[in-house]
Amino acid sequence: MVLIRKAGVTDAGAIGKVSVESWQTTYRGIMADTVLQRLSVEDRVENWKNTIQADESTTFAAVDTDEQVGGFLNMAVKESADSARIGEITAVYLLESWQGQGIGKMLLLTAFTCFIEQSIYTVRVEVLAENDSRLFYEQFGAEMIEKKNIQMTGDVLDLLVYEWKDISSIVEMN
């Protein structure tokens, strides 16, 4: 059984570990192995401590009955080009062994519910074009609205921006 709950600073260690392990499995073949091998759990832990404490975003953790973190999602509220408030999913990562079990969907629905509570109905997420996770967003009703190039680890990669225009119907259906 998996529970989705708001992450606290004490979860930063587990989230940092999930972050590194997820990057190493998700981005294998997309980014250079040397880049993935150099990822530091300690650096990620500090980053997530700061992120969780900053109050500029919300992080949810997926935990099992032993409170082991197997995944997380980070969300924030941003202003769009026309100054409207929109939701942004800034990170969704699951350990490989936690994937394919509906946990990503649980995390996303939790974030969507949180956005709706703030009267935010449009949500965006960015994903590398070569990352198969984009298929998850597509199956969940997101539409690609933009493709851009980004410089990452010395490579130029295609970044896709997906958007849900109105998440209320998705939450109601689930």
Side-chain angles (χ1 to χ4, degrees):
M1 183 170 150
V2 173
L3 170 73
I4 307 299
R5 62 165 172 73
K6 191 170 179 184
V9 175
T10 57
D11 294 311
I15 288 172
K17 184 175 184 294
V18 169
S19 177
V20 168
E21 288 183 25
S22 295
W23 269 62
Q24 290 172 335
T25 57
T26 301
Y27 299 122
R28 187 181 306 127
I30 298 173
M31 293 181 192
D33 288 342
T34 53
V35 170
L36 298 175
Q37 291 165 355
R38 274 190 266 135
L39 294 174
S40 161
V41 172
E42 293 77 21
D43 290 346
R44 293 288 172 103
V45 169
E46 282 306 308
N47 179 52
W48 282 106
K49 277 183 188 175
N50 294 336
T51 298
I52 292 167
Q53 289 176 329
D55 250 2
E56 295 171 2
S57 65
T58 302
T59 305
F60 291 102
V63 298
D64 63 16
T65 53
D66 295 326
E67 279 292 305
Q68 297 298 307
V69 176
F72 67 93
L73 176 147
N74 183 263
M75 58 177 273
V77 176
K78 304 285 183 188
E79 281 194 23
S80 66
D82 63 0
S83 298
R85 289 177 1 126
I86 62 168
E88 186 174 83
I89 304 295
T90 58
V92 181
Y93 290 103
L94 295 169
L95 294 175
E96 199 167 38
S97 61
W98 284 53
Q99 295 174 12
Q101 301 174 44
I103 299 166
K105 180 179 179 179
M106 291 169 59
L107 283 163
L108 209 52
L109 287 171
T110 301
F112 284 0
T113 300
C114 188
F115 282 131
I116 289 171
E117 289 170 355
Q118 299 174 68
S119 298
I120 295 169
Y121 300 95
T122 300
V123 177
R124 292 184 182 158
V125 64
E126 295 181 347
V127 61
L128 292 175
E130 293 184 56
N131 182 347
D132 288 339
S133 297
R134 68 181 165 67
L135 303 174
F136 166 73
Y137 301 123
E138 290 172 6
Q139 291 170 349
F140 213 67
E143 294 181 10
M144 186 180 62
I145 61 166
E146 185 180 357
K147 180 179 178 180
K148 52 188 174 182
N149 294 324
I150 60 164
Q151 186 90 16
M152 186 177 239
T153 65
D155 294 320
V156 176
L157 302 171
D158 291 330
L159 185 71
L160 306 177
V161 180
Y162 283 89
E163 182 178 82
W164 292 270
K165 290 266 186 234
D166 185 355
I167 58 172
S168 58
S169 60
I170 295 170
V171 172
E172 288 169 10
M173 290 187 321
N174 291 284

